[in-house]
Amino acid sequence: MYLITAYFDEETNRIIRRHIERIAACSGNDFMTRNNVPPHLTISAVEARDINELVPSVRGLGGEFLSGEINIVSVGTLLPYVMYITPVMNDYLRTLSQRVYDALPLSDEIKVNRFYVPGNWLPHVTLGKTLDKDQMREAFFYLQDNFSPFRARVTSIGLSRVNPYEEFL
């Protein structure tokens, strides 16, 4: 699986990294820090046999990509293992999702995960992954005391692979 992701400016990265590091410390789960997963917002998850089929499309997006601002306002979970923060869905995110989807060379060989198609996408920034129940509880307690809404700036778009995490663009 390949991910098309939005990356943030340095101030946003600093805020998100602080939460990731503190969740790792309080929960004892260092998946995000150990695997050097950068702060990011996944726009699309794509199944493809060959990454070279995706690279030109994602590179093309870079030419038309416009940075934008989002308001990250809430904490959530993807049960049973993921803790995240989420932005308000705004016109910028809707447009970004649609542009990415439209740019992909969809075929029998290239398919977008059904949870990442425009109109059926929950934008989120993962702070903790592979958390067990106790770790989820600790992460939530930390965020309950330390999270407050903030404005974030998306500055670039990239292409990566999961398991193991590897950036291509």
Side-chain angles (χ1 to χ4, degrees):
M1 179 178 307
Y2 299 100
L3 304 177
I4 300 169
T5 56
Y7 295 103
F8 303 104
D9 69 324
E10 282 306 311
E11 176 63 17
T12 302
N13 282 338
R14 186 186 63 74
I15 293 167
I16 296 170
R17 275 195 188 106
R18 184 180 70 232
H19 289 313
I20 290 170
E21 290 166 0
R22 290 186 180 163
I23 284 173
C26 75
S27 71
N29 181 312
D30 67 350
F31 178 91
M32 298 289 287
T33 55
R34 180 175 20 97
N35 290 292
N36 299 310
V37 179
H40 69 280
L41 186 145
T42 301
I43 303 164
S44 189
V46 183
E47 290 290 339
R49 290 184 187 190
D50 184 0
I51 190 156
N52 293 316
E53 297 173 335
L54 300 174
V55 169
S57 298
V58 177
R59 270 205 182 109
L61 284 167
E64 68 178 65
F65 179 77
L66 301 172
S67 66
E69 289 191 351
I70 57 177
N71 292 308
I72 297 180
V73 299
S74 187
V75 171
T77 61
L78 295 172
L79 295 175
Y81 309 114
V82 176
M83 181 70 62
Y84 64 84
I85 51 179
T86 189
V88 172
M89 179 62 85
N90 62 13
D91 288 339
Y92 169 74
L93 287 174
R94 275 189 283 283
T95 300
L96 187 58
S97 174
Q98 190 66 55
R99 281 188 179 173
V100 167
Y101 185 80
D102 291 344
L104 293 171
L106 301 177
S107 68
D108 289 340
E109 304 289 317
I110 301 173
K111 297 186 183 327
V112 173
N113 179 295
R114 65 187 174 107
F115 295 113
Y116 288 89
V117 296
N120 194 46
W121 170 52
L122 173 67
H124 64 280
V125 178
T126 299
L127 300 178
K129 192 171 181 177
T130 71
L131 300 164
D132 65 26
K133 286 182 181 180
D134 291 334
Q135 293 167 341
M136 287 284 277
R137 215 173 284 113
E138 292 301 320
F140 181 78
F141 290 151
Y142 162 76
L143 289 168
Q144 189 175 26
D145 291 338
N146 295 283
F147 176 79
S148 58
F150 62 98
R151 180 163 289 193
R153 173 162 285 286
V154 173
T155 58
S156 64
I157 193 166
L159 177 64
S160 61
R161 174 177 57 195
V162 296
N163 302 325
Y165 177 80
E166 180 181 359
E167 288 183 26
F168 293 97
L169 296 175

